[in-house]
Structure formats: C-alpha cells, structure tokens
Amino acid sequence: MSMKIAICIKQVPDSWAEKKMANGVLDRANVDAVLNDLDEYAVEEGLRIVEANSPTKEAGEASGHSITLISMGPERATEAIRKALSMGADDAILISDPALAGSDALSTSLVLAEVIKKGNYDLVICGTESTDARMSVVPAMIAERLNWAQLTFAGKVKVDPAAASVEIERVTEFGNQVMNAKFPAVLSVVEKINEPRYPSFKGIMAAKKKVITTMTLSDTGLAATAVGASAAWSAVKDALPRPARGAGVKLTDEGSGGEKLVDFLVEKRLA
Amino acid sequence: MSSVIFLVDHTAGKVAKATGELATFAKSIGESVAVVFASNPAEIISQLNTFSIDKVITVSGDWDRNGPAVIADGLAQIISAKKPSAVLITSLASGKEIAGRVAVKTGSGIITDAIGVDKDLITTQSVFGGSTTVHASVITGTPIITLRSNSIEPVLTTSSAAIEEFAVTLSDSSKLATITSATPVVKGGRPDLTEASVVVSGGRGTNGDFKPVEALADALGAAVGASRAATDAGWYPHSHQVGQTGKTVSPQLYVAAGISGAIQHRAGMQTSKTIVAINKDPEAPILEIADFAVIGDLFNVLPQATDKIIARKG
Ligand SMILES: Cc1cc2nc3c(=O)[nH]c(=O)nc-3n(C[C@H](O)[C@H](O)[C@H](O)COP(=O)(O)OP(=O)(O)OC[C@H]3O[C@@H](n4cnc5c(N)ncnc54)[C@H](O)[C@@H]3O)c2cc1C
Ligand SMILES: Nc1ncnc2c1ncn2[C@@H]1O[C@H](COP(=O)(O)O)[C@@H](O)[C@H]1O
C-alpha cells in the first residue's frame, strides 16, 4: 500500500535572534525567519519512513509513497518550505491570507485540519513545539479536530504500511510508553528521534522545480471570522520587558570561590 | 461562588507536587474542585488532604490505556456539566495536550505555561526566555490554563473535601490509540527535576564526570540537570536535559556548572528565581543572566562549596 504523508512545518523567527513584542504580538517582521528547528526532525522522520518502506533506496522514487508539506504563514514562509523540499519532500501547500495573521493554536489547528481533510493522508507528522509559540498543542488539537489517533512525543516510529498501522514510543517526563494505532494518525516527534540530513546540492536544485500550492482562506472553506485575530480566544493585556536582572556578582576563583559561593547562598537563605 | 476545576496529576499512584500549586491557585480564585481520573481514586484522594480543596470529583476507569485523548474527553464532559469559571492543568507535556484538546472540545480559549493567575483570571506568562512578561486572559468559553511547576508556594491545610463520583461516556474516537506497554522513569533518591526547588546542572565542562555536580546536588537536596551537550555525549540520561527540547525548570535556585548558556539551554531555565554559574570562561553567555558567578574550574569550586555546606549542617 502506498502511503500519503503530510508534514506540518512552520517558519519561525530565528531562535538565536532577540525577540520583541510589538502591539501585543511577536514582532516577526524585523527578525530572520527560518524553518522551525523541531520540524526538521519531522521532515527527516517522514523521509525515513518512506525510505524504509521503498523498494529503491532513493527517497520517494517509484516508491508510490508521497510526502506533502503543509504550512500556514506569510508568503515568505516559502523559504522554509524550500528548505524542507530540498531535504526530499515531494510538494507543499502554503495557506497564506491576511485574515490568518494573529492566529493562535486554536485557529492554526483549525486551518491545518481543514486542509489535511482534503488530502486523504494516512499520516500527519509534526514537530513537538514551535520555537516561537512554544505551546506544544497544535498536533493534539489537529488529532482532536480530525478525530484521528494521536501518537505524539515519539522518540521512535515504526510504520507497517501493509497493516495500515503505526507504533511509536512516546517519551514523557514520567517515562516512556509504547502506543499504536491504525491509519490515519497524527504524530509528533521529539528531537532525539533522528539527525536531520543537510540538503544536498542535487536536492536543492530539485526543490526549485517542486510545486508549492498556495491556498487562501476561502480555498479552505473557513470563514474569516473563525480564524486569525478576529477569532479572539484570548487577549493580551500587556507585554512588558522584564526589568533586566540586576547585574550579578562576578568573581574570579582565587582559591576560595566555592566558599564565597556558599556565603552567597546562605545570605540568600538558599543553603 | 464560582468554582475552579483543576486536574490532579499522578503517575504510578503518586500525586505530583505541582497539584498542590494548582489547588492553591484554584482556592485563591473560588471554590477549588479537584478532578481525579484514576483506576483506584481512593489511593489518590488520600494524598490530597493537605491541599486546599473544597471538593473532589472522581472518575474511575482504566486511564492508562489510550493516552491524553480519553482524559480530555472525560474532562470536557465534566466541564459541560459543572460549568466552572476556569480549568487549571499542569504545564507538562500530557497536561498541555489534554488542555489543547479540551479547549477544542469546549470551544474555549487556552493559555499555556502561565506562571500565575489572579482572581480576575488574568494570567502571567514569562516569554522569550524570561525577557518579557505577558498578562493575558481568555475571552471565549471556559478559560483553560496550564501552569508551570514552582510558580507558587502551595498552601498546606487539612481539608476534608466532599467527594462526588462522576460517570463519563467515552467516544470511540478518543480510544483510537492504544498503549501496549509503559516504562516509568526510574526514580533515584533525588527530587524530580520539574518539581525540585533547587537544580544543579552540569554541561560539557564536566568532561563526563558528574560526581562533583551530584555531590553538590545532594548537599543542597537538589535535582540534577544537564545540558544537551552532556546528554548527547551519553554522560547523563536524556530525561535530565534542561532546555528548549528538554525540561523547563523554574526553581528557587539553579546552579549551572560548565554550561555556556546557549539560547536553547536558557529557554529551559531562565525563569529560575536565582541563577548561579560556575564557568572557566569569563565571556560565557550564562554569566549575563547569573545572579552570582564564579569564574573558575568547577572541579575546584563545586567540591569546596559542597564541603562547606556539609560542614555548616554539622
Ligand atoms: C534544535 C536544538 C535544540 C536544542 N535543545 C537544547 C536543550 O534543550 N538544552 C540544551 O542544554 N541545549 C540544547 N541545544 C544545544 C545548545 O545549542 C548548546 O549546544 C548546548 O546547550 C551546549 O551545552 P554546554 O553548555 O554544556 O556546552 P558548551 O557550549 O561546550 O559549554 C561548555 C562550557 O563549560 C565551560 N567549562 C569547560 N571546562 C570547565 C571547567 N573545568 N570548569 C568550569 N567551566 C568549564 C566552558 O567555558 C563552556 O562555557 C539545542 C540545540 C538545537 C539546535
Ligand atoms: N503555522 C503552522 N503551520 C504548519 N505547522 C504548524 C504551524 N504551527 C504549528 N505547527 C506544527 O505544530 C507543531 C507544534 O507547534 P506549537 O503547538 O505551536 O508549539 C510544530 O512543530 C509544527 O509541526
């Protein structure tokens, strides 16, 4: 059986860059944008699933399986999409619309679920967290909206296309669990799962010819009032830069650094 | 009086410390109602009597078979029946997923990783590695709020809460995933990383030798953390990684030994109340956020500090 896989990727401000708020939302215009680090692992895992289940070694080639990237974001999210295409995904869908600006996890998951519904996918793979929103809820919300199995925080994934089933090892604070489900399922993968490949020169050239389909909000069939800033689920009252931590004490160890450290802890009632 | 429902977090029959914090927040807002999903609720309830709880709702069943989806299904039914003014859940991975699904099911707004919530249900969040404080509120549906551990000192009392058993009917779609086996984290003698009020972490600077880090942690009654460089090298288990892709901790005291303070590490510890760093390099970025820093070799500084703490305790 050939599998149709969708991978949700997000373009985010570079996590190395300083982030600022502008009018209650993250100022995205003035920072470099990159593919969310954690989504690279999702792309890599998708490629590995295809490769492990293909007669030929080459990803995608004649395997019958397909990998479609799905991203919601501004026009320039195509940069992040090209990167994931150059890793080896087949094609992409970008949902971009001014009405989507200011979307939170509820709106984002609604839009992504609506687009996923139209694609007849067997598996949807997400990262565990976007480095800007850091909510870690979109994959669970997509599963809820689609009424699909939720297999999230996977540290290992094993797919059996013939049985149309997937098994993961879920990695949590309290230990690991082996979970399985029939297709269709929503997965998210943790960063220990694999080592994402660097796009090869061949991959980068091939990506230029791959198709990115752009959808607007009306293509999804959702009303503008259901998403974006107008579907206000929560409101920011204020966002204030935290007063800088008072300049700390810095001392060079000249033989009694450990003792002075304890003096500090005692003074602060921490030891 | 309005009631605030909070989800009791427990594994292997033991209630998480963070539950006491949720109870304290709930009580400061209104009537505090604990919800317990467990196969043996009595075992869990007996651990709740020191928390500020007015009422306990129990739902018995086999909740370890299908993951977060079934708990979300059950919790949404309780919310529809009880119409609380807010729902509080711990900000751990499963807690956030349950919160997300409940928000979708009940058509409610969600706020994650709050470090506080006041009487008017205005939340406080610390974002961008602690550089910005955001106040926000949910304006649609029942506010679903997840709270980070170590956000409040739990108020301990003796409560004798009324207990109500609640029956839920789970939909088939919440049972699509099946858990076939589970390996709980092996607990050592040290406190849990996400619950500890003191964390001592080691990085690449330990060069693989965590003994001085563990010795200081034990002298301080602390949990041990590690940077990704240390967990990737196999020097310390991955479950101890602090940072963006590890755990987020917010203890009273965080000690970073031999850790440079990369942005991904800081993302997981920057909201700690007091930060202490030990580093050979006077230019290490961790020093920018440290309240107290010793520029020196951790193999000298940590044992000396450990000895002095032990000597003080006599
Ligand atoms: C997608 C992604 C996710 C990531 N997630 C995380 C995460 O969750 N957590 C995390 O920690 N990192 C994470 N990282 C990695 C992060 O970028 C850094 O590489 C990592 O934190 C560095 O670990 P370190 O500080 O121990 O090592 P280094 O950066 O090598 O620093 C070692 C420090 O030790 C000091 N030192 C050396 N010897 C001694 C001595 N004898 N005494 C005192 N000081 C000494 C050095 O001066 C140096 O400052 C992530 C990276 C990526 C790309
Ligand atoms: N705008 C988006 N477009 C596509 N995928 C997204 C988007 N936002 C979140 N995701 C996916 O959901 C995961 C978790 O994101 P979050 O819940 O925002 O932390 C990410 O790693 C992505 O896989």
Side-chain angles (χ1 to χ4, degrees):
Chain A
M1 188 194 119
S2 61
M3 290 178 287
K4 275 194 84 180
I5 300 175
I7 301 177
C8 294
I9 62 167
K10 184 179 186 186
Q11 171 154 291
V12 296
D14 192 341
S15 60
W16 297 90
E18 190 191 349
K19 288 173 203 142
K20 285 206 191 77
M21 301 282 279
N23 305 319
V25 294
L26 179 60
D27 180 4
R28 288 167 204 275
N30 293 314
V31 285
D32 285 343
V34 296
L35 171 59
N36 180 29
D37 285 344
L38 300 175
D39 295 346
E40 287 187 28
Y41 301 89
V43 175
E44 177 65 33
E45 199 57 26
L47 295 169
R48 289 187 188 197
I49 289 170
V50 166
E51 286 162 1
N53 292 287
S54 300
T56 58
K57 279 257 176 251
E58 294 277 88
E61 263 176 42
S63 68
H65 308 305
S66 68
I67 297 180
T68 299
L69 307 167
I70 301 181
S71 187
M72 178 182 119
E75 273 302 320
R76 71 169 178 157
T78 47
E79 297 160 26
I81 293 175
R82 286 284 171 215
K83 168 150 192 211
L85 286 173
S86 64
M87 287 171 73
D90 297 302
D91 53 23
I93 299 170
L94 171 63
I95 312 106
S96 196
D97 198 297
L100 291 169
S103 285
D104 62 3
L106 285 155
S107 297
T108 303
S109 62
L110 182 64
V111 172
L112 294 174
E114 226 30 59
V115 172
I116 291 164
K117 262 185 217 165
K118 299 182 202 301
N120 224 352
Y121 301 103
D122 300 300
L123 295 174
V124 169
I125 312 177
C126 298
T128 38
E129 180 175 291
S130 54
T131 54
D132 55 348
R134 297 206 66 194
M135 287 185 76
S136 261
V137 293
V138 167
M141 284 179 170
I142 294 175
E144 171 68 41
R145 291 188 185 281
L146 294 169
N147 283 329
W148 286 15
Q150 175 191 327
L151 298 175
T152 45
F153 291 90
K156 267 185 208 143
V157 176
K158 230 168 46 199
V159 171
D160 184 345
S165 70
V166 49
E167 180 177 277
I168 67 148
E169 187 168 304
R170 176 175 167 88
V171 181
T172 73
E173 291 90 349
F174 303 111
N176 296 357
Q177 298 159 340
V178 178
M179 293 180 90
N180 63 43
K182 290 273 178 203
F183 291 172
V186 178
L187 276 60
S188 77
V189 300
V190 302
E191 108 322 319
K192 292 277 163 178
I193 196 170
N194 58 41
E195 194 56 56
R197 66 196 66 187
Y198 287 103
S200 64
F201 179 70
K202 200 172 139 223
I204 293 168
M205 295 316 285
K208 294 191 171 150
K209 294 192 212 90
K210 291 178 178 170
V211 178
I212 302 177
T213 308
T214 307
M215 289 174 78
T216 60
L217 186 61
S218 67
D219 297 329
T220 68
L222 292 167
T225 47
V227 294
S230 60
W233 300 94
S234 56
V236 170
K237 227 176 108 237
D238 55 49
L240 311 162
R242 197 177 80 151
R245 278 181 180 270
V249 179
K250 233 197 263 187
L251 61 90
T252 303
D253 182 27
E254 281 159 352
S256 60
E259 291 180 354
K260 289 191 174 132
L261 171 58
V262 177
D263 293 342
F264 169 79
L265 296 181
V266 170
E267 184 198 321
K268 287 272 187 178
R269 297 171 178 270
L270 290 165
Chain B
M1 187 167 60
S2 66
S3 68
V4 176
I5 279 182
F6 66 94
L7 185 62
V8 174
D9 209 327
H10 60 89
T11 17
K14 225 183 143 288
V15 171
K17 185 178 149 208
T19 302
E21 298 186 38
L22 296 186
T24 306
F25 277 120
K27 185 76 190 169
S28 71
I29 302 165
E31 186 196 23
S32 90
V33 181
V35 175
V36 177
F37 288 89
S39 50
N40 178 10
E43 170 190 38
I44 304 301
I45 294 169
S46 65
Q47 296 168 57
L48 300 177
N49 53 21
T50 54
F51 298 152
S52 321
I53 296 176
D54 297 312
K55 198 172 153 191
V56 180
I57 295 176
T58 63
V59 198
S60 44
D62 186 359
W63 300 101
D64 298 327
R65 269 181 58 83
N66 304 100
V70 278
I71 304 213
D73 194 354
L75 186 55
Q77 292 174 41
I78 293 172
I79 296 168
S80 308
K82 303 291 174 188
K83 306 196 167 41
S85 58
V87 177
L88 310 182
I89 301 177
T90 52
S91 255
L92 300 170
S94 296
K96 290 211 265 187
E97 293 193 326
I98 292 166
R101 296 187 70 122
V102 166
V104 169
K105 277 182 192 289
T106 60
S108 301
I110 172 175
I111 290 175
T112 57
D113 290 309
I115 54 170
V117 49
D118 72 9
K119 275 204 356 241
D120 303 319
L121 298 173
I122 293 174
T123 58
T124 307
Q125 288 161 291
S126 177
V127 301
F128 309 152
S131 65
T132 306
T133 301
V134 174
H135 293 108
S137 58
V138 165
I139 54 177
T140 305
T142 309
I144 313 289
I145 299 164
T146 78
L147 284 143
R148 273 199 190 150
S149 325
N150 285 311
S151 293
I152 197 172
E153 193 56 47
V155 175
L156 298 182
T157 59
T158 38
S159 66
S160 55
I163 296 165
E164 177 189 335
E165 278 177 44
F166 192 95
V168 298
T169 317
L170 298 177
S171 68
D172 289 339
S173 65
S174 63
K175 291 190 271 189
L176 292 167
T178 310
I179 295 173
T180 53
S181 71
T183 348
V185 170
V186 193
K187 287 231 190 238
R190 298 195 180 92
D192 202 49
L193 191 52
T194 46
E195 295 190 337
S197 52
V198 180
V199 175
V200 180
S201 290
R204 200 192 310 273
T206 62
N207 209 7
D209 180 2
F210 262 67
K211 277 193 221 81
V213 173
E214 290 184 328
L216 178 61
D218 290 341
L220 289 167
V224 174
S227 72
R228 179 167 164 193
T231 58
D232 274 356
W235 298 341
Y236 227 71
H238 174 222
S239 56
H240 290 256
Q241 182 174 315
V242 172
Q244 192 196 325
T245 50
K247 295 196 165 113
T248 302
V249 298
S250 190
Q252 294 299 326
L253 170 65
Y254 188 87
V255 180
I259 293 178
S260 63
I263 187 124
Q264 294 93 343
H265 187 79
R266 288 160 59 152
M269 47 66 71
Q270 196 151 12
T271 52
S272 306
K273 315 300 177 289
T274 300
I275 297 172
V276 167
I278 299 98
N279 202 301
K280 274 209 267 204
D281 174 9
E283 305 294 326
I286 190 82
L287 304 184
E288 291 163 20
I289 58 162
D291 299 287
F292 190 90
V294 181
I295 319 294
D297 191 327
L298 70 91
F299 290 100
N300 299 329
V301 178
L302 295 191
Q304 190 179 66
T306 307
D307 288 347
K308 181 153 175 173
I309 291 165
I310 293 171
R312 267 180 49 86
K313 284 197 212 149

